């Protein structure tokens, strides 16, 4: 019995060690991808911050400035753009962002019709299985996101808004705060709402073409920038969450191996003691 027990323990130790090799490898891969994702998001942030400031400078130059992208239109349909991961094994990353999305959608669905654009395989699976009206879906684009991909998504959003198929656009994504902290967030994309800290700056700039026409040209770039930054941030958050999850899994595997090794040594010691007792007993019988 002891011999059989020892074999089971050795088999479990070998299995846990194999699993730990996988978690260690996934931890290293996630760390590498995290650095690349942060570099990508940071490299674009300065440009889009400047673009954002320019948009509000244009609107502030003219007191009569009007655009369809500002509030003032009756809301009937709300579009939710939800960004989640393409893979699992990332701790609570996918669960947190999808939980927030579900809460916001449930609140909105009480008054308005809801349509969804899921980005990421987990988001696509979640909303497709639950029967939501999915107007477009994107999988496996986050890791190698390019501005052209963000513009493609943005153009569909703007077309739906201009055509009256949606009257408000909300974004659900995960904000990368630090390697240890990632927060699921919600923001409104359209209509635009000026932040409280934005104070009008009368620069008396002359715009060619007119401010409204220039604003129309910049708006697609702004929407694409918001999507690009949010997807890059979400991907970085996914990798950070996966790195932490795999690190914890590796630590747990190490503890399990130590405990199993202790059980193995006890079983081995018990077997040796039993064999010695049998030998001594046999010797006494012969005498």
């Amino acid at each position: 019995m002891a011999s059989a027990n020892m074999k089971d323990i050795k088999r479990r130790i070998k299995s846990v060690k194999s699993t730990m090799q996988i978690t260690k490898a996934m931890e290293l891969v996630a760390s590498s991808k995290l650095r690349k994702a942060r570099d990508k998001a940071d490299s674009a942030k300065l440009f889009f911050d400047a673009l954002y400031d320019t948009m509000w400078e244009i609107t502030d130059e003219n007191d009569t400035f009007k655009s369809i992208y500002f509030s003032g239109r009756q809301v009937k349909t709300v579009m939710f753009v939800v960004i989640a991961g393409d893979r699992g094994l990332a701790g609570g990353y996918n669960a947190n962002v999808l939980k927030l999305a579900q809460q916001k959608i449930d609140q909105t669905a009480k008054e308005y019709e809801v349509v969804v654009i899921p980005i990421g395989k987990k988001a696509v699976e979640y909303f497709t299985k639950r029967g939501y009206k999915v107007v477009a879906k994107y999988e496996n684009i986050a890791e190698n996101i390019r501005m052209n991909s963000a513009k493609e998504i943005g153009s569909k959003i703007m077309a739906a808004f201009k055509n009256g198929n949606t009257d408000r656009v909300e974004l659900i994504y995960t904000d990368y705060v630090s390697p240890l902290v990632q927060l699921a967030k919600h923001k409104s994309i359209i209509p635009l709402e000026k932040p409280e800290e934005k104070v009008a700056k009368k620069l008396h700039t002359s715009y060619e073409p007119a401010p409204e026409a220039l604003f129309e040209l910049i708006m697609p770039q702004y929407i694409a920038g918001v999507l690009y930054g949010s997807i890059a941030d979400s991907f970085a958050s996914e990798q950070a969450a996966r790195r932490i999850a795999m690190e914890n899994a590796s630590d747990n595997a190490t503890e399990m191996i130590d405990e199993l090794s202790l059980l193995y040594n006890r079983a081995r010691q018990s077997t040796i003691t039993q064999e010695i007792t049998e030998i001594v007993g046999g010797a006494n019988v012969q005498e």
Side-chain angles (χ1 to χ4, degrees):
M1 292 293 292
S3 177
N5 189 38
M6 288 172 62
K7 289 182 179 179
D8 289 339
I9 294 174
K10 286 186 71 174
R11 193 180 299 112
R12 289 184 64 190
I13 290 175
K14 184 178 180 180
S15 176
V16 173
K17 284 183 177 179
S18 298
T19 302
M20 188 169 69
Q21 289 178 345
I22 296 173
T23 58
K24 282 285 188 182
M26 292 183 68
E27 179 185 344
L28 293 174
V29 171
S31 298
S32 175
K33 289 184 177 181
L34 171 60
R35 287 191 295 271
K36 293 179 181 178
R38 288 308 305 152
D39 290 342
K40 183 182 293 186
D42 292 340
S43 64
K45 188 174 187 303
L46 291 176
F47 171 75
F48 288 109
D49 283 348
L51 183 64
Y52 184 71
D53 291 338
T54 301
M55 287 175 58
W56 290 114
E57 288 176 5
I58 293 173
T59 62
D60 290 336
E61 282 302 302
N62 189 341
D63 294 334
T64 61
F65 183 91
K66 291 183 179 180
S67 173
I68 62 171
Y69 298 109
F70 292 100
S71 56
R73 167 166 146 182
Q74 184 180 4
V75 177
K76 297 179 181 178
T77 305
V78 179
M79 175 184 290
F80 280 87
V81 181
V82 183
I83 305 172
D86 290 300
R87 298 173 182 83
L89 299 177
Y93 167 76
N94 289 308
N96 291 338
V97 70
L98 292 175
K99 180 181 178 181
L100 176 61
Q102 189 65 65
Q103 290 175 349
K104 296 295 182 181
I105 289 174
D106 287 345
Q107 293 173 1
T108 305
K110 295 177 181 178
E111 300 182 48
Y112 312 110
E113 181 184 357
V114 171
V115 296
V116 183
I117 294 183
I119 300 176
K121 187 175 181 180
K122 295 299 180 181
V124 172
E125 291 176 351
Y126 183 89
F127 291 105
T128 302
K129 289 179 180 179
R130 284 161 177 77
Y132 284 95
K133 185 178 180 181
V134 176
V135 294
K137 54 187 177 182
Y138 300 89
E139 299 181 18
N140 300 310
I141 67 168
E143 182 173 358
N144 299 309
I145 184 68
R146 296 288 185 271
M147 186 52 62
N148 287 339
S149 301
K151 286 180 178 179
E152 178 187 341
I153 303 172
S155 64
K156 289 188 177 182
I157 292 173
M158 294 185 66
F161 184 80
K162 285 183 176 180
N163 296 336
N165 295 327
T166 187
D167 306 298
R168 199 170 78 210
V169 182
E170 309 286 336
L171 175 66
I172 308 289
Y173 72 108
T174 304
D175 184 30
Y176 177 89
V177 180
S178 74
L180 299 177
V181 181
Q182 303 87 40
L183 300 176
K185 284 196 171 182
H186 162 263
K187 71 163 64 171
S188 177
I189 301 180
I190 304 175
L192 295 171
E193 296 180 0
K194 182 181 292 189
E196 294 181 358
E197 64 271 15
K198 286 290 177 188
V199 179
K201 296 179 181 179
K202 294 295 184 178
L203 301 179
H204 302 291
T205 306
S206 177
Y207 291 102
E208 291 292 341
E212 288 81 359
L214 184 59
F215 189 86
E216 284 286 334
L217 292 174
I218 292 179
M219 190 64 185
Q221 299 289 336
Y222 166 72
I223 297 296
V226 170
L227 292 170
Y228 181 91
S230 300
I231 293 172
D233 256 358
S234 294
F235 184 73
S237 299
E238 179 185 359
Q239 301 311 312
R242 181 170 291 114
R243 185 190 66 79
I244 294 172
M246 293 301 101
E247 183 180 7
N248 292 337
S250 298
D251 292 343
N252 291 337
T254 301
E255 292 180 7
M256 189 178 295
I257 290 172
D258 291 341
E259 293 175 1
L260 290 172
S261 297
L262 182 60
L263 289 174
Y264 177 81
N265 290 333
R266 285 177 179 173
R268 182 169 175 270
Q269 185 64 44
S270 175
T271 301
I272 294 172
T273 301
Q274 183 179 352
E275 291 176 353
I276 292 175
T277 303
E278 291 173 355
I279 291 171
V280 172
N284 290 336
V285 170
Q286 289 181 356
E287 291 178 358

